[in-house]
Amino acid sequence: MTDSKAYFAEGSPVSVQTIIWATGYRNDYSWIDIDGVFDQEQKPIHVRGVTNVNGLFFVGLSWQYKRGSALVKGVGEDAAYMVSQLSKHS
């Protein structure tokens, strides 16, 4: 992401203000090419899903906040927290 634009694999840009990466069954961050997002183990650097990159958030990470964060029944609390943070960080 550069200058509020995200670029697709073929190179076309889209203007964005916020990205929420909701993980699936497997974590795949290969499409994210932003300095400072990952630690040395290639895991997202975040506090409850909020990264140090303005407008980039994660939801559904294992142990994002609680044991159930990556589970369908547990992600709701993290999602609600994320909604409360969007206006503060974007």
Side-chain angles (χ1 to χ4, degrees):
M1 191 163 77
T2 304
D3 299 325
S4 297
K5 290 187 179 176
Y7 293 85
F8 292 96
E10 88 287 346
S12 65
V14 161
S15 293
V16 296
Q17 291 182 347
T18 302
I19 297 172
I20 302 173
W21 178 242
T23 62
Y25 292 103
R26 293 177 291 169
N27 296 334
D28 178 9
Y29 310 114
S30 63
W31 65 277
I32 301 174
D33 186 16
I34 303 172
D35 291 335
V37 175
F38 303 106
D39 63 17
Q40 292 178 340
E41 296 176 358
Q42 296 304 304
K43 293 181 181 179
I45 300 167
H46 68 93
V47 176
R48 290 193 75 179
V50 179
T51 73
N52 59 350
V53 175
N54 189 35
L56 179 63
F57 304 88
F58 289 86
V59 174
L61 300 173
S62 295
W63 289 95
Q64 180 166 320
Y65 181 62
K66 293 182 175 180
R67 182 177 183 205
S69 289
L71 305 175
V72 172
K73 285 186 133 182
V75 75
E77 185 177 342
D78 291 333
Y81 177 79
M82 191 61 51
V83 169
S84 76
Q85 297 302 301
L86 288 174
S87 63
K88 295 177 184 179
H89 294 278
S90 296

